[in-house]
Amino acid sequence: MPSAISTDVLIVGAGVAGLWLNARLRRQGFSTVLVENASLGGGQSVKSQGIIHGGAKYALHGALTGASEAIADMPRRWREALAGNGELDLAGVRLLSEAHYLWSPGTLAGNLTSFFASKAVRGRVDQVKGEQLPPALQDKRFKGKVYRLAELVVDVPSLIERLAQLAGDSLLAGQRIQPLVENGQLAGLRVDEREIHAQRIVLSAGAGTADLLQGLGLEQPAMQRRPLHMVLVKGTTLKPLYAHCLGGGPKPRITVTTHPAADGQWVWYLGGDLAEAEGVAREPAAQIAAAQKELAQLLPWVDLSQAQWATLRVDRAEPAQSGLVRPDNAFLAEQDRLLVGWPTKLALAPDFADRVLAALERDGIRPAHGDPLPELPRPPLGQPAWEQLLP
């Protein structure tokens, strides 16, 4: 006989979005079970650069957009949580940088200079010089301009570890997930040998959501994948840099974040335009060569002769959009007891949780299951790509 569990909300997918939602629900008194078939945060989350965007990068053509406005409040909410007095207590999560930066290797276009000086971005963007520059740009040969963004960069592995602590006994490692149907209605899920009944079921499994929907016999909501081909560089000569380098278009030419490796060295994680269209088409050796050329042009004073290099392909999973454009907000679709969504960006995890909580409130869903859960097999923590690819 399969064992049976009853809970208020059953969540599938323990990336940052699922873990954040789980912690918010538990804080409001709901009982939850959070199912993960691999490792906690091991999909998109641990492969992200950890930037809590506030929208500036979506305004590089010189105007605020829907995307920049939708995400504008996220840094404040994350800062409050990281300080231990927000919607979650994330005190103890490692903050890699209090700010993210924009840097221009040459002269900024006139409309962008005027935009950065305008009232529209006052408080979001400030020019910095001298000792205020990021350590990697404090070289006499650097001639560009640098702007400090009111954003932050978190250490995603420590974030996942803290959210896992907040999950308490609710985490469940499960491989086979099937619908649990009663009286013709979805009543929960069968996870391996466990039948889990729930008032609401939330799918937040990123790229895995498409397979879950197929297993439930559903075609909607449709999912899209926008691929990246990221580059990792590890070496003793690297200094911290958290910045978008401006190119000639509306996207950063290259985005650099810096992460601590277990052996004490720094790892640069390179995204931006480098990792998109042309980068996706390149083989790993060609992508590394392209990154080496970019860094030699942009940061010629950095000695990378002894650095280790690797690439990482990442599929960003999102709700399908016309023309594969990036959605501005977190997304949630509903069908009876089932809620399906994607945060679309790490920074929007609080927005995703808001949408689920609003749906529960609208439907009058209240905490109803207070019994302690049996001891459940717990998924392991996801490991950063640099520990796997650059030992």
Side-chain angles (χ1 to χ4, degrees):
M1 285 288 290
S3 61
I5 296 173
S6 291
T7 191
D8 293 322
V9 183
L10 171 58
I11 307 167
V12 183
V16 167
L19 286 162
W20 189 291
L21 170 63
N22 189 51
R24 286 276 303 275
L25 288 167
R26 289 171 65 83
R27 192 165 188 177
Q28 295 195 16
F30 288 94
S31 66
T32 62
V33 174
L34 174 54
V35 181
E36 173 56 51
N37 72 346
S39 59
L40 301 175
Q44 281 180 254
S45 292
V46 83
K47 297 170 186 171
S48 78
Q49 291 186 283
I51 306 164
I52 307 303
H53 291 288
K57 108 168 191 178
Y58 305 128
L60 296 186
H61 61 303
L64 291 174
T65 65
S68 61
E69 290 301 275
I71 205 170
D73 196 39
M74 292 300 119
R76 176 193 63 81
R77 292 177 65 177
W78 279 82
R79 286 184 193 279
E80 289 176 354
L82 291 164
N85 53 22
E87 59 207 61
L88 296 179
D89 179 1
L90 300 183
V93 171
R94 182 172 183 175
L95 187 61
L96 294 176
S97 179
E98 284 281 356
H100 204 248
Y101 295 82
L102 286 169
W103 109 80
S104 168
T107 303
L108 283 174
N111 67 327
L112 204 54
T113 304
S114 300
F115 174 65
F116 283 169
S118 71
K119 291 181 181 179
V121 295
R122 194 164 296 163
R124 291 198 204 183
V125 181
D126 297 297
Q127 189 172 359
V128 295
K129 300 178 180 179
E131 293 182 355
Q132 294 180 316
L133 293 172
L137 301 181
Q138 291 182 17
D139 187 280
K140 61 186 178 184
R141 286 165 285 184
F142 177 69
K143 304 298 183 185
K145 291 186 176 181
V146 179
Y147 292 84
R148 186 182 193 273
L149 306 180
E151 302 179 350
L152 60 155
V153 186
V154 299
D155 179 54
V156 175
S158 74
L159 169 64
I160 293 167
E161 186 174 4
R162 175 57 182 155
L163 290 171
Q165 292 172 355
L166 295 177
D169 63 357
S170 67
L171 299 176
L172 170 61
Q175 294 298 315
R176 298 187 311 280
I177 298 174
Q178 300 170 304
L180 181 60
V181 178
E182 295 180 355
N183 300 320
Q185 300 290 321
L186 184 66
L189 297 175
R190 181 176 285 104
V191 180
D192 296 333
E193 299 305 316
R194 292 177 175 83
E195 291 185 351
I196 306 177
H197 293 75
Q199 297 190 73
R200 288 295 182 270
I201 303 155
V202 182
L203 303 187
S204 63
T209 295
D211 288 340
L212 288 168
L213 287 171
Q214 185 178 27
L216 294 172
L218 300 173
E219 296 181 357
Q220 296 294 329
M223 188 184 83
Q224 69 184 27
R225 298 171 187 257
R226 287 191 304 123
L228 293 173
H229 195 182
M230 306 289 286
V231 179
L232 300 98
V233 194
K234 180 179 178 181
T236 57
T237 61
L238 301 184
K239 295 181 180 179
L241 179 59
Y242 302 91
H244 304 298
C245 177
L246 297 175
K251 293 182 179 180
R253 177 173 171 181
I254 193 169
T255 296
V256 184
T257 51
T258 311
H259 305 266
D263 62 5
Q265 295 188 62
W266 288 113
V267 175
W268 279 359
Y269 195 27
L270 311 179
D273 206 35
L274 169 75
E276 299 206 19
E278 291 184 13
V280 171
R282 296 187 189 109
E283 292 301 315
Q287 180 69 340
I288 288 171
Q292 290 171 332
K293 182 178 178 181
E294 282 283 74
L295 293 178
Q297 289 180 354
L298 297 171
L299 304 166
W301 53 87
V302 179
D303 179 8
L304 297 172
S305 60
Q306 302 300 313
Q308 295 175 265
W309 299 80
T311 70
L312 175 67
R313 293 190 181 274
V314 182
D315 269 344
R316 293 168 293 180
E318 303 161 343
Q321 307 284 297
S322 176
L324 277 182
V325 298
R326 179 188 45 75
D328 288 344
N329 300 294
F331 171 89
L332 188 71
E334 304 173 51
Q335 182 174 319
D336 300 323
R337 293 192 186 203
L338 184 67
L339 294 84
V340 184
W342 293 267
T344 73
K345 293 197 78 63
L346 175 75
L348 286 165
D351 183 39
F352 176 72
D354 287 348
R355 292 167 189 269
V356 174
L357 287 163
L360 299 182
E361 178 69 24
R362 182 202 63 218
D363 293 345
I365 303 298
R366 298 283 185 268
H369 299 283
D371 294 336
L373 290 168
E375 187 172 342
L376 302 173
R378 192 176 176 93
L381 293 170
Q383 293 300 307
W386 43 91
E387 302 298 348
Q388 301 173 51
L389 299 174
L390 297 172

